[in-house]
Amino acid sequence: MIRHLLAALILLGSLAAAPAADEGALKPFERGSWQQLLRAHAGHPTLVHFWGVTCGPCKVELPQLGQFMKDHPQIDVVTISADLVPNLPDATRSMLDRAGLASAENWIFGDGFAERLRYEIDPAWQGDIPRTMLVARDGTITTIEGSAEIADLSKWSDAQAATIR
Amino acid sequence: MGHRNPLVRTALAAIMLVVLPSLTAAQMSHQHASEAACEETDLHCATKVTPAFAPDGTLWLAWMAGGHISVASSKDQGATLSTPVQVTRERLNLDWGPDARPKLAIDAKGDIALAFSIFRDRAFNGQVLTTRSSDGGRSFDPPKPITASNESQRFETIGFDPSGAVFAAWLDKRNRVPAQQRGEKYDGAALFVATSKDGGRSYSDAKLVADNTCECCRLALAFDGAGRPVVVFRNIFEGGVRDHAIVTFSDLATPGEVHRVSRDDWQIAACPHHGPSLSISPAGTYHVTWYTNGKARKGLFYAQSRDGGKTFSDPLPIGQANRSPSRPQIAAGPQGLVMVWKEFDGQKTTVNLMMSRDDGATWSKPAPIADTADSSDHPLLVSDRRHTYLSWMTKADGYHFQAIGSEP
C-alpha cells in the first residue's frame, strides 16, 4: 500500500514536471509576472515583445524577430501575447513556432483584467500592439511602440555587447 | 479515510498537498483568465453590451456572451428586461477584439437591424454578418455576410437614416490582394459602405470610401440634421501616421471629401485597438473624441467642427494623464453634451463624466459616476427624449444602466 502511494507520488511529481519540460509551453502572464520576469533576467540584455494573434502588423514582425533571436544568441528574447483573454494558446503557439520563436521564453496574458496587467508593465500603455521593450544589462528600459526596425534592435544589441567588460 | 497506518496517512496528506493547490490554482486561473464573469449566454456573462433606443422609447440591448449574440428590450429604461432572444443559431468565434461589439439599430416600425463580426478562419480573418428582425425582436433571420467578398472585414457600424434605409460601414481588406499582386505595399484596410432599403434583409454592393485606413479601430457613425451619414475613422496618413479622419456623405452612397480631424502625428505600425466617438448636436456641430499617442499630443482629446467637418477646433485634453484615460464617448442628448471615459489607478476603473450646456464651448468639472475593480467594457452613451444614459458592462458588478443627471 505504502509502496503504491509512493509510486503515485512519484508519478504525480513527474506529471507536474512534464509541462515545464515541454518546449514551447506558454507561461501564463498574471499579476506580479512582470516584476518576476525582470528579476529573472536582471543583468542580461533582454528583448520583451508584446504581440497578439489578431494583430496584422504583428504577423509581419514576428518572423523577423525569430531571425533576430537566431542572429543574437546573447540577447534573452521574451514574447508576451497581450491579446484580451480568453485568448488562444494553440494559435499563439503555432504562430510562434512558424516564426522560429518556439525556443524563446513565451508568455500569454492569463488574467482577464488586461488593463491591470498592462498597468504593471507601463501605466501609460493603452494596449496597442506590437510593442517592444528593450531591457538593458543595467535595467534601463527602452520602449518601441509599433513594429520595431530590426536594424535598431541590432544596434541596441551591439551596444549591449560593448558594455561587457 | 480509515487508514490506521500513520505513514499511509502522511503519504495521503502529501498527495493532497501536491494535488490540491494545483487544482485550486487551475480553477482560479480559469475564472481569472476570462474577461467574462461566466460562460453562459446571459447578460451577466457578457463581455460587450451595446444599447440602442427605438423611436418609441423602448431600450434594446445586444450582447456577446458564451459565443452567442443575444438581445432583450426594456420598457422602463433598463429596470426590467424582456426574456432574451438568441440571434445566433450556433456558437460562433465572435470577434473579441477590444473595439469589436454587436451593433443594432431600430426603425420607426420597430424592425431591428443587427450586425456583428466573427473570426472566419484560423488566420483571424474577419467577416461581418448581418441579420434583422421584422417581428419586433421576437425572432431574427439567419445571420448572413454583408458582402460576397471573402477578404477580411471587421468593425462594422450600422444606423437607420431618417428615410428608414440602413447605412452600414466597415473596414475591409479586399484591396490588399490586387495591390500586392501589382507588387505594391498596402497598409491597413479600407473603409467600405453599403445600404439596405429593406430593413437589413439585403445590402447593396459594397462601395469603397477610402483605402489605407487603420485596420483595428472601431468606426464612429452619426447622421447630420439632413440625415446624411458622417463617419470618423483612424486613417493612415502619409508616412504611416494613424490620425483621425472624417467623411460626410452627400447621400447614402456618395462620400464627400475626407478631412483630417487633428494632426496628432502618431506614426505607428501597430493596432491601437482604440477608435473614436462622434455625435452631431441639433445646431449641426460635429463633436469628436479620440485617443492618440502622437508626437504632437498624447491622451484623450475632444474637438468640434462648425463647418460640417472641414475644420476642427484645437483639441481639448480629457482626463487625468496619470490615470491612463481611455475609451472616450460623446453624445449630444436632450440635456446637452455628455462625455464619459475610463480612468484606471492600478486597481480600480472609474467612469468619469463631463457635460456641456453650450454646445461644447465650456465643460463641467470631471466627476466619477461609476467604478469597478475588475475588467469592464467601454462606457457607452445612449439617449432617449428625456435623458442620456450610461451603459457599462463590468465583470465584477454586472451591467449598469443609469440616467445621467442634469448636474454631474
Side-chain angles (χ1 to χ4, degrees):
Chain A
M1 182 66 192
I2 292 167
R3 234 190 325 227
H4 283 156
L5 281 169
L6 286 175
L9 272 175
I10 290 161
L11 185 66
L12 274 168
S14 60
L15 278 175
D22 182 11
E23 188 179 270
L26 299 169
K27 300 166 82 159
F29 192 94
E30 290 158 353
R31 291 186 85 179
S33 294
W34 179 241
Q35 287 306 321
Q36 181 196 331
L37 190 159
L38 291 180
R39 276 197 302 276
H41 291 273
H44 298 271
T46 304
L47 180 154
V48 186
H49 182 68
F50 297 92
W51 70 291
V53 291
T54 68
C55 151
C58 300
K59 288 181 195 171
V60 179
E61 186 178 5
L62 217 56
Q64 299 172 357
L65 211 63
Q67 187 59 42
F68 173 88
M69 183 173 82
K70 215 169 142 192
D71 296 344
H72 300 81
Q74 75 282 12
I75 303 290
D76 295 355
V77 174
V78 177
T79 78
I80 302 175
S81 165
D83 266 330
L84 294 180
V85 275
N87 46 22
L88 303 152
D90 292 347
T92 304
R93 283 181 61 164
S94 110
M95 275 193 208
L96 287 165
D97 289 352
R98 273 181 278 134
L101 286 163
S103 61
E105 177 182 323
N106 298 315
W107 299 71
I108 185 163
F109 268 21
D111 182 320
F113 200 178
E115 278 158 315
R116 191 170 56 195
L117 291 181
R118 290 199 299 262
Y119 193 93
E120 288 185 5
I121 298 158
D122 176 357
W125 178 31
Q126 293 274 356
D128 45 275
I129 44 176
R131 186 179 184 92
T132 302
M133 293 171 93
L134 304 172
V135 190
R137 207 179 294 281
D138 64 2
T140 313
I141 297 180
T142 310
T143 300
I144 301 170
E145 285 189 340
S147 303
E149 295 292 335
I150 297 301
D152 293 344
L153 300 182
S154 296
K155 220 165 99 186
W156 175 80
S157 167
D158 293 347
Q160 290 302 307
T163 62
I164 306 174
R165 70 244 115 168
Chain B
M1 285 188 200
H3 288 291
R4 296 240 173 85
N5 185 326
L7 189 51
V8 172
R9 266 210 301 264
T10 312
L12 277 173
I15 291 179
M16 298 303 240
L17 278 175
V18 170
V19 175
L20 283 182
S22 59
L23 273 180
T24 317
Q27 281 159 355
M28 279 173 66
S29 91
H30 176 71
Q31 273 184 359
H32 228 60
S34 173
E35 285 200 282
C38 37
E39 305 304 319
E40 289 80 52
T41 60
D42 309 322
L43 177 63
H44 70 275
C45 301
T47 48
K48 326 253 189 177
V49 181
T50 309
F53 273 109
D56 72 354
T58 306
L59 171 69
W60 287 88
L61 302 180
W63 66 85
M64 188 172 141
H68 282 275
I69 305 287
S70 304
V71 301
S73 64
S74 172
K75 297 279 187 193
D76 51 13
Q77 289 76 40
T80 56
L81 283 181
S82 65
T83 306
V85 170
Q86 214 159 285
V87 173
T88 40
R89 302 298 204 265
E90 57 197 334
R91 200 183 158 91
L92 293 169
N93 189 12
L94 297 169
D95 184 345
W96 40 260
D99 252 359
R101 65 175 56 258
K103 302 289 165 31
L104 76 169
I106 306 97
D107 74 3
K109 301 195 298 284
D111 289 350
I112 301 170
L114 196 143
F116 58 96
S117 295
I118 59 168
F119 290 123
R120 202 190 54 213
D121 58 26
R122 297 186 60 184
F124 299 96
N125 284 303
Q127 183 173 48
V128 175
L129 301 179
T130 65
T131 176
R132 65 153 200 166
S133 169
S134 50
D135 58 7
R138 278 185 288 278
S139 66
F140 284 80
D141 294 350
K144 56 185 186 190
I146 197 166
T147 172
S149 167
N150 270 328
E151 296 303 322
S152 189
Q153 314 127 23
R154 289 176 78 187
F155 303 110
E156 72 294 335
T157 180
I158 58 170
F160 278 100
D161 84 342
S163 78
V166 185
F167 175 83
W170 68 92
L171 297 178
D172 191 307
K173 288 190 171 174
R174 72 181 70 190
N175 286 353
R176 287 169 80 99
V177 179
Q180 281 161 354
Q181 281 166 355
R182 291 192 301 269
E184 295 164 14
K185 192 166 176 277
Y186 186 96
D187 284 330
L191 176 63
F192 272 76
V193 296
T195 54
S196 170
K197 298 287 167 71
D198 54 14
R201 186 198 301 258
S202 63
Y203 283 82
S204 66
D205 286 345
K207 186 181 168 72
L208 173 72
V209 176
D211 268 313
N212 305 117
T213 68
C214 182
E215 64 271 53
C216 37
C217 290
R218 68 163 187 260
L219 306 172
L221 166 68
F223 292 91
D224 73 3
R228 297 177 302 191
V230 183
V231 177
V232 181
F233 56 101
R234 195 185 288 280
N235 199 16
I236 305 181
F237 289 99
E238 193 63 34
V241 172
R242 298 198 184 213
D243 287 355
H244 285 93
I246 189 163
V247 58
T248 301
F249 287 68
S250 52
D251 59 54
L252 291 181
T254 316
E257 208 180 320
V258 172
H259 296 287
R260 193 161 180 160
V261 174
S262 174
R263 287 185 183 274
D264 305 325
D265 199 12
W266 193 11
Q267 196 266 318
I268 187 169
C271 282
H273 291 312
H274 212 146
S277 170
L278 163 73
S279 192
I280 301 174
S281 54
T285 313
Y286 291 10
H287 303 274
V288 180
T289 61
W290 72 95
Y291 166 73
T292 185
N293 201 20
K295 285 196 195 79
R297 58 186 63 81
K298 296 178 194 296
L300 301 188
F301 294 90
Y302 160 78
Q304 56 174 264
S305 171
R306 296 184 184 278
D307 58 8
K310 290 188 197 66
T311 61
F312 279 83
S313 61
D314 285 341
L316 175 74
I318 307 301
Q320 306 178 79
N322 62 349
R323 289 285 173 89
S324 197
S326 68
R327 312 295 173 193
Q329 278 282 325
I330 190 160
Q335 294 172 323
L337 284 174
V338 177
M339 197 193 302
V340 288
W341 66 96
K342 277 162 95 161
E343 291 188 1
F344 185 61
D345 67 3
Q347 298 295 332
K348 197 173 70 176
T349 301
T350 311
V351 173
N352 293 270
L353 164 75
M354 287 200 309
M355 297 184 69
S356 171
R357 294 172 163 281
D358 53 12
D359 207 30
T362 60
W363 290 87
S364 64
K365 277 208 184 72
I369 55 166
D371 61 59
T372 192
D374 206 331
S375 60
S376 60
D377 192 7
H378 305 351
L380 303 177
L381 294 170
V382 66
S383 301
D384 63 9
R385 274 187 279 276
R386 288 165 53 220
H387 290 287
T388 297
Y389 302 82
L390 169 69
S391 165
W392 193 36
M393 186 64 209
T394 70
K395 178 179 174 181
D397 309 305
Y399 180 64
H400 291 257
F401 191 79
Q402 66 189 72
I404 288 168
S406 51
E407 295 300 330

